[in-house]
Amino acid sequence: MHPYINPLLISPLQSLHLSHKYLPCFHHPNSTQTPVCSVCFKLMAITEHRDIEKGDNKGLEDLIEPLVDGKPDSKNVDDCEEEIEQQSGSIVMVVLSTAVAVCGSLEFGSCVGYSAPVQNDISVDLNLSVAEYSLFGSIVTIGAMIGAVTSGRIADTIGRKGAMALSAVFCIAGWLAIFFTMGSLLLDMGRFFTGYGIGIFSFVVPIYIAEIAPKNLRGGLTTLNQLMIVTGSSISFLLGTVVSWRTLALTGLVPCILLLVGLLFIPESPRWLAKVGRKAEFEDSLRRLRGAKANILAEAEEIHETILTLQSLPKARLLDLIDAKYIKAVIIAVGLMVCQQSGGINGIGFYASETFQTAGLASGKAGTVAYALIQIPVTMLGVVLMDKSGRRALLLVSSSGTFLGCFLAGTSFFFKGQAIFLEWVPLLAVSGVLIFIASFSIGMGAVPWLIMSEIFPLHIKGAAGSVAVLVNWFGAWVVSYSFNFLINWSPAGTFWLFSGFCVLTVIFVAKLVPETKGKSLEEIQLYINK
């Protein structure tokens, strides 16, 4: 799986919040551009249906009273002002906790970016064949697949902090194994351990951030997870051009050490503490996150009601996913994961340096540096455009761009094989790969995960999301393991094959994928099932 947004706990009512972001506020009737205060938003949510995430089902009488009189209720105006003060209060602990958690995201990116700049050096030093290095490069996805499958149970059993600590321990063991290895066995074991660690990180980091962040900061803070993954990958690409592969393995220890030290100073997720019945610790954690002067009673009640509501929902089985009500959503989510991986992102990303050398560059390092530098700004642009241009439009542009990039790279290798336009071969290859990664970063990397979080009803989200994650990791393994063999078979044919899958992605998105921007979950469900 490429290092981008991932996976299951983007707020389940994100679309609803976004679509109601600017509405006339009952306490501010003269302004249509005032963000809705929580009191008024609760009224709107309760009037239509119960907001499952927030658990708002009490206090309806007090909320309706101002509408009856046609005048603002002084008590509720005070509530609005008090909430604004609380939201602008101390967020130091929230920011610190998020900074510690995204060290796991940085580790994720460091791990997946490790194999690209070191392929030639490791193969020479340890005398590895193509098959042996392909196993080393791809076995990280097997470990991550197992880590992702077990991460939910681990995070629920030992807590979010415990799961992150366990992930860091596995990653440290993996990096040390790679550093001390003298043969392929210990090398592969180390790569597997780091994969298992990042598989847990991929699940628990976004969940922890979503569970500690206040409502007005949740969106911005969760995007840091995605950005730090890409940053970690880019750092590995850049460092790999100037340090040895053993030294680069040691740099992978840094995010883990920072994480383990940071965990000593941040609170556990209050939602997990409430779920396991640790009431005193729950209140202490929530107070540390919201500030000593904050009134946490309302939020604490909402959290408890949310947990009770979720526990009352039926548990979905895998067989439920083929029900006529859900099958179209499953096809869309799984199809997007297949499209994301079949374009070749993990093959191109894992072995970028070797690809550039095959194209005729004197050294793959220059292309690798350009690859690293382009990821971060383009990913940031994609985050900005996601709620402006729309998910579907971004996917169409992104997949069209990945087609162009693969086609250009394939054409460059074709020219090289035919010994024509040889002076253009390196430029075309580098341009094609950079166009591919830029196009992927702006849409196909992040949007499939976001759409997956939006199209499933809450009670089947876990089961359906698990299936989609497994498909994604399996696709990542297939592509990363087979890429070197495909390149040896035919570089031009490999990239043209990926470009063909990109064309199929454009068709799939155009025919089946709905636009979810600005729609509530209910509206999305009606659209999918009509």
Side-chain angles (χ1 to χ4, degrees), residues 161-175:
K161 285 177 59 178
M164 286 189 282
L166 181 65
S167 303
V169 170
F170 269 98
C171 288
I172 288 173
W175 288 124

Side-chain angles (χ1 to χ4, degrees), residues 196-215:
Y196 183 79
I198 67 171
I200 298 176
F201 276 137
S202 70
F203 179 87
V204 73
V205 170
I207 285 182
Y208 178 77
I209 296 173
E211 290 181 344
I212 67 168
K215 301 167 190 175

Side-chain angles (χ1 to χ4, degrees), residues 134 137 200 234 255 272-273 290 328 346 363 392 404 409 419 488 516:
S134 294
I200 298 176
S234 296
W272 179 77
L273 292 170
R290 299 296 178 261
K328 189 173 181 180
N346 277 290
S363 171
R392 190 168 180 269
L404 176 61
N488 286 339
T516 60

Side-chain angles (χ1 to χ4, degrees), residues 348-510:
I348 296 171
F350 280 19
Y351 310 113
S353 179
E354 190 69 15
T355 300
F356 291 130
Q357 286 184 313
T358 304
L361 292 181
S363 171
K365 292 183 177 180
T368 303
V369 169
Y371 184 113
L373 293 177
I374 202 171
Q375 285 191 100
I376 298 175
V378 175
T379 299
M380 295 175 67
L381 177 62
V383 171
V384 172
L385 292 176
M386 198 172 294
D387 288 320
K388 294 184 179 294
S389 62
R391 285 75 151 135
R392 190 168 180 269
L394 212 53
L395 284 175
L396 289 171
V397 171
S398 177
S399 53
S400 299
T402 56
F403 159 75
L404 176 61
C406 284
F407 184 79
L408 289 177
T411 301
S412 74
F413 287 114
F414 175 77
F415 287 163
K416 182 181 179 182
Q418 299 298 316
I420 57 175
F421 305 118
L422 293 179
E423 67 276 12
W424 290 95
V425 169
L427 179 61
L428 276 177
V430 172
S431 299
V433 171
L434 295 184
I435 289 172
F436 174 88
I437 189 59
S439 300
F440 185 90
S441 298
I442 206 170
M444 284 302 298
V447 176
W449 295 107
L450 177 57
I451 290 181
M452 185 187 75
S453 75
E454 295 174 325
I455 63 176
F456 292 124
L458 193 59
H459 67 287
I460 72 160
K461 193 174 184 181
S466 297
V467 171
V469 169
L470 281 176
V471 168
N472 190 284
W473 281 116
F474 180 74
W477 174 78
V478 170
V479 172
S480 59
Y481 182 73
S482 64
F483 185 80
N484 276 331
F485 296 103
L486 290 172
I487 285 290
N488 286 339
W489 159 67
S490 170
T494 299
F495 280 94
W496 282 342
L497 176 65
F498 290 149
S499 69
F501 281 117
C502 293
V503 171
L504 294 178
T505 298
V506 173
I507 297 172
F508 178 83
V509 172

Side-chain angles (χ1 to χ4, degrees), residues 45-305:
I46 295 171
T47 303
E48 290 188 12
H49 48 75
R50 181 176 179 180
D51 184 332
I52 292 180
E53 182 186 52
K54 293 170 28 175
D56 294 330
N57 64 343
K58 294 185 179 181
L60 183 57
E61 299 81 8
D62 292 339
L63 293 173
I64 294 179
E65 185 63 27
L67 296 179
V68 175
D69 294 340
K71 300 176 181 179
D73 184 284
S74 60
K75 177 182 176 182
N76 287 332
V77 171
D78 291 340
D79 289 342
C80 291
E81 293 174 350
E82 181 181 353
E83 181 172 350
I84 292 172
E85 289 178 4
Q86 291 175 11
Q87 290 178 349
S88 61
S90 175
I91 60 169
V92 173
M93 184 54 71
V94 173
V95 173
L96 175 63
S97 300
T98 301
V100 171
V102 296
C103 287
S105 308
L106 193 66
E107 174 65 16
F108 189 140
S110 299
C111 184
V112 298
Y114 177 78
S115 61
V118 301
Q119 179 175 358
N120 185 62
D121 292 341
I122 291 182
S123 298
V124 171
D125 289 352
L126 300 181
N127 195 27
L128 300 182
S129 66
V130 171
E132 288 173 328
Y133 193 83
S134 294
L135 178 61
F136 167 72
S138 64
I139 199 172
V140 65
T141 60
I142 300 296
M145 192 185 307
I146 298 173
V149 170
T150 59
S151 58
R153 181 64 61 88
I154 291 172
D156 284 343
T157 302
I158 63 176
R160 300 354 182 185
K161 285 177 59 178
M164 286 189 282
L166 181 65
S167 303
V169 170
F170 269 98
C171 288
I172 288 173
W175 288 124
L176 291 177
I178 292 173
F179 177 78
F180 288 110
T181 187
M182 301 303 290
S184 60
L185 178 60
L186 194 57
L187 188 72
D188 292 340
M189 287 180 59
R191 187 73 165 160
F192 177 84
F193 283 161
T194 58
Y196 183 79
I198 67 171
I200 298 176
F201 276 137
S202 70
F203 179 87
V204 73
V205 170
I207 285 182
Y208 178 77
I209 296 173
E211 290 181 344
I212 67 168
K215 301 167 190 175
N216 61 320
L217 297 177
R218 184 179 297 134
L221 291 177
T222 51
T223 59
L224 289 178
N225 173 58
Q226 174 190 2
L227 185 59
M228 292 304 289
I229 291 173
V230 176
T231 301
S233 175
S234 296
I235 290 174
S236 284
F237 274 37
L238 294 173
L239 288 178
T241 64
V242 296
V243 301
S244 69
W245 61 272
R246 292 187 190 272
T247 303
L248 186 61
L250 289 182
T251 65
L253 299 175
V254 175
C256 297
I257 294 172
L258 291 176
L259 177 74
L260 291 174
V261 173
L263 288 175
L264 300 175
F265 301 97
I266 64 174
E268 178 60 91
S269 162
R271 284 170 172 79
W272 179 77
L273 292 170
K275 183 178 179 180
V276 297
R278 291 156 63 171
K279 183 177 179 181
E281 294 173 70
F282 158 72
E283 294 178 355
D284 178 68
S285 173
L286 192 58
R287 192 169 296 283
R288 288 180 66 190
L289 290 165
R290 299 296 178 261
K293 297 182 180 180
N295 182 359
I296 63 171
L297 294 179
E299 185 175 2
E301 182 180 359
E302 289 176 356
I303 290 173
H304 282 300
E305 290 186 1

